[in-house]
Amino acid sequence: MKVIKFGGSSLASGKQLEKVFQIVLSDPERKVVVVSAPGKRFSDDSKVTDLLIEVAELCLANKNPQIRLEEVIERYAAIAEELALPDRVMAEIYDDLMVRVASNKSKPDRFIDLLKASGEDNNAKLVAAYFREQGVEAYYVDPKEAGLLVSNEPGNAQVLLESYDRLFALSQHPGILIFPGFFGYSETGEVCTFSRSGSDITGSILSNALKADLYENFTDVDAVYSVNPTIVSQPREIKELTYREMRELSYAGFTVLHDEALVPAYKAGIPVQIKNTNNPNAPGTRIVNVRDNINGPVIGIASDQGFCSIYVSKYLMNREIGFGRKLLGILEDEGLSYEHTPSGIDDVSIILRENQLDVNMEAKIIKRIKTELHADEVKIEHSLALIMVVGEGMRQNVGTMAKASKALAKASVNIEMINQGSSEVSMMFGVKEVDEKRAVQALYEEFFMAVTA
Ligand code: ASP
């Protein structure tokens, strides 16, 4: 049995849905279909999810959401019309949206989630209706009834473990099941969405719960590329990579798969196959537990912007027991999550996502570290990019770091920091955002241009 997930661009129009239908029907093992909300039809188009967020924000600001709401309805209506679906399909979507818009707004983040989740929920109903119109036994599955329970964190939910046993019952269900991605329900029965692009997570949870043989994730590229194709043209496609490699790459900017989507599949040992809805015969990329290491030390290079570093130095920091705990305790107190902590003898840097700090928070943190920890120096550096050089092969190879830093030096990129995790699956370089492209190009050249496939 296979769980198959389609992203927003695969469901953006009636024509795309016809492809989806063919793909699902071409393999009888494709039993559970997870759908996103309709995405972009062309590059300047809007995603239904983004429109829904605007609708919610307008409602919360006591402004008229009519224009945006009509745009949402129009997106579904265009698909329904293209596929000649019966009128009741649109009537149901319309009624559902009206109820949501009129619902309680006293908790804004709950209200936003309720609207956001409608993107996939209504799309799943539409897709199920379309399959049925084609004479196929297909059912929309309500995540609440199916038992997809998540933590009570609007916009950032995590699956609760009891969901897995509950969802298993779906394996006894006849027909093809159309399951809306991106959201579940809290224990108190409220809609809670995962973080953006979270339908990937739903697919992975269902693969685990239903003990699928494969989790197929259909998107709009032929494969996972070894580097961002907007930075290096026509980069090498990755045929196979491990869960750990993919996790590292998606964490640092590979958007093909949500970075939290691998864990449920990984825990159950289910391989993940990335495929292209627009070119389903392309082999795609397979994500597995162990792979043949034939490509040299590095499999991919990812980079992401929007980080900052809090640099803290204090003479004899190395001898001060509890310094690290107290420092991180301040961040915990302020609700800040950190990414890395490269350190020296008397200094440590904490790397965080910059969007968590505003001017006030920044001043507060600096003050607290100075006064509570008596640090000699505290400064924040902004606009950093993190580059991850990833590959399981690094463990067996000597000199990968030397090669990488030589390549960066040749490209005149100043390395702000280096971090190599103890797993040795990746090396991280912090550089200024303005140097990011050049750095990635230099690293790609070093590790991929000279190596044969
Ligand atoms: N539609 C949601 C988003 O745009 C979730 C998804 O597509 O996976 O973030």
Side-chain angles (χ1 to χ4, degrees):
M1 194 277 283
K2 296 173 184 167
V3 171
I4 178 166
K5 181 256 166 182
F6 291 93
S9 60
S10 304
L11 299 155
S13 66
K15 205 160 161 252
Q16 290 299 83
L17 257 76
E18 283 168 4
K19 294 182 192 167
V20 165
F21 180 74
Q22 293 307 332
I23 290 169
V24 173
L25 269 275
S26 67
D27 182 346
E29 290 189 2
R30 291 175 173 149
K31 159 122 185 122
V32 179
V33 182
V34 176
V35 296
S36 286
K40 293 185 179 192
R41 293 160 291 188
F42 39 88
S43 63
D44 291 344
D45 200 11
S46 305
K47 288 180 169 191
V48 163
T49 309
D50 290 323
L51 295 171
L52 288 163
I53 294 170
E54 284 187 58
V55 170
E57 283 168 350
L58 287 165
C59 292
L60 289 168
N62 269 325
K63 292 188 181 146
N64 188 349
Q66 199 56 31
I67 295 176
R68 287 284 171 269
L69 196 54
E70 273 166 20
E71 278 183 63
V72 172
I73 293 167
E74 187 39 48
R75 288 297 308 271
Y76 292 107
I79 298 171
E81 195 185 311
E82 230 183 305
L83 300 173
L85 298 181
D87 291 347
R88 64 184 145 71
V89 175
M90 270 321 291
E92 200 186 326
I93 292 176
Y94 182 86
D95 291 348
D96 173 85
L97 282 165
M98 291 306 131
V99 172
R100 290 186 199 242
V101 166
S103 66
N104 189 331
K105 299 176 186 58
S106 61
K107 293 182 189 148
D109 48 2
R110 296 247 161 255
F111 180 71
I112 293 176
D113 263 22
L114 187 70
L115 272 155
K116 262 157 84 183
S118 76
E120 343 306 279
D121 206 33
N122 283 322
N123 211 25
K125 288 178 187 164
L126 185 150
V127 171
Y130 167 54
F131 275 47
R132 278 197 301 274
E133 286 298 309
Q134 304 304 301
V136 170
E137 186 183 6
Y139 303 92
Y140 155 79
V141 180
D142 179 347
K144 192 175 201 171
E145 279 170 24
L148 178 43
L149 286 178
V150 297
S151 61
N152 206 354
E153 297 170 89
N156 199 21
Q158 292 193 43
V159 65
L160 298 184
L161 290 181
E162 53 264 46
S163 299
Y164 291 107
D165 284 344
R166 290 171 186 234
L167 291 165
F168 181 67
L170 288 178
S171 52
Q172 305 306 316
H173 204 295
I176 292 175
L177 307 182
I178 314 290
F179 200 106
F182 193 36
F183 72 97
Y185 285 82
S186 68
E187 282 171 305
T188 48
E190 284 163 302
V191 170
C192 252
T193 66
F194 297 120
S195 51
R196 290 299 304 269
S197 304
S199 300
D200 287 340
I201 304 176
T202 311
S204 186
I205 293 167
L206 287 170
S207 307
N208 176 315
L210 299 172
K211 307 191 182 349
D213 299 303
L214 182 65
Y215 171 26
E216 292 177 301
N217 192 296
F218 273 74
T219 175
D220 50 13
V221 286
D222 276 353
V224 176
Y225 297 108
S226 47
V227 70
N228 182 344
T230 65
I231 297 184
V232 174
S233 71
Q234 298 187 315
R236 195 183 299 176
E237 290 180 2
I238 302 176
K239 292 186 175 58
E240 196 170 64
L241 76 170
T242 68
Y243 297 110
R244 294 201 304 172
E245 289 169 331
M246 187 65 210
R247 161 91 177 109
E248 300 269 345
L249 291 167
S250 53
Y251 162 81
F254 273 36
T255 52
V256 174
L257 196 68
H258 191 296
D259 75 322
E260 291 172 25
L262 279 172
V263 178
Y266 163 70
K267 279 192 177 155
I270 298 162
V272 180
Q273 185 85 31
I274 310 280
K275 301 260 290 175
N276 189 352
T277 302
N278 305 316
N279 186 14
N281 293 329
T285 297
R286 200 171 177 84
I287 307 168
V288 292
N289 208 354
V290 190
R291 67 174 171 87
D292 295 336
N293 181 29
I294 45 161
N295 67 301
V298 176
I299 195 146
I301 299 166
S303 63
D304 202 7
Q305 300 198 342
F307 294 90
C308 66
S309 132
I310 307 176
Y311 171 83
V312 182
S313 83
K314 184 178 180 187
Y315 182 52
L316 295 183
M317 185 190 287
N318 64 318
R319 293 178 49 172
E320 191 174 327
I321 292 172
F323 188 90
R325 180 184 54 76
K326 286 181 218 147
L327 179 60
L328 295 178
I330 293 177
L331 298 191
E332 186 180 352
D333 269 1
E334 303 298 339
L336 299 171
S337 111
Y338 75 95
E339 309 291 323
H340 304 274
T341 52
S343 63
I345 305 168
D346 288 334
D347 53 22
V348 57
S349 293
I350 307 173
I351 317 292
L352 343 158
R353 295 220 182 239
E354 205 157 39
N355 59 8
Q356 299 181 94
L357 297 178
D358 58 18
V359 191
N360 294 336
M361 178 59 84
E362 199 172 308
K364 191 170 175 194
I365 292 281
I366 293 179
K367 189 163 168 222
R368 282 194 66 180
I369 298 173
K370 275 191 176 154
T371 51
E372 291 170 36
L373 299 179
H374 309 289
D376 299 327
E377 191 183 358
V378 185
K379 60 180 187 201
I380 300 194
E381 197 175 335
H382 290 280
S383 307
L384 293 177
L386 296 188
I387 300 173
M388 307 290 285
V389 177
V390 176
E392 300 262 6
M394 282 196 283
R395 233 171 293 133
Q396 285 99 34
N397 273 271
V398 176
T400 316
M401 176 62 85
K403 271 182 162 187
S405 39
K406 209 174 91 208
L408 292 174
K410 236 169 77 191
S412 311
V413 173
N414 184 27
I415 304 171
E416 303 285 320
M417 72 196 72
I418 294 182
N419 197 13
Q420 181 166 31
S422 29
S423 64
E424 275 192 70
V425 179
S426 69
M427 283 176 322
M428 183 206 87
F429 297 93
V431 302
K432 291 248 183 337
E433 280 178 358
V434 287
D435 290 337
E436 179 196 2
K437 261 192 173 175
R438 217 158 12 100
V440 171
Q441 282 158 350
L443 289 167
Y444 184 79
E445 215 158 284
E446 178 67 41
F447 289 108
F448 288 88
M449 303 303 263
V451 185
T452 47

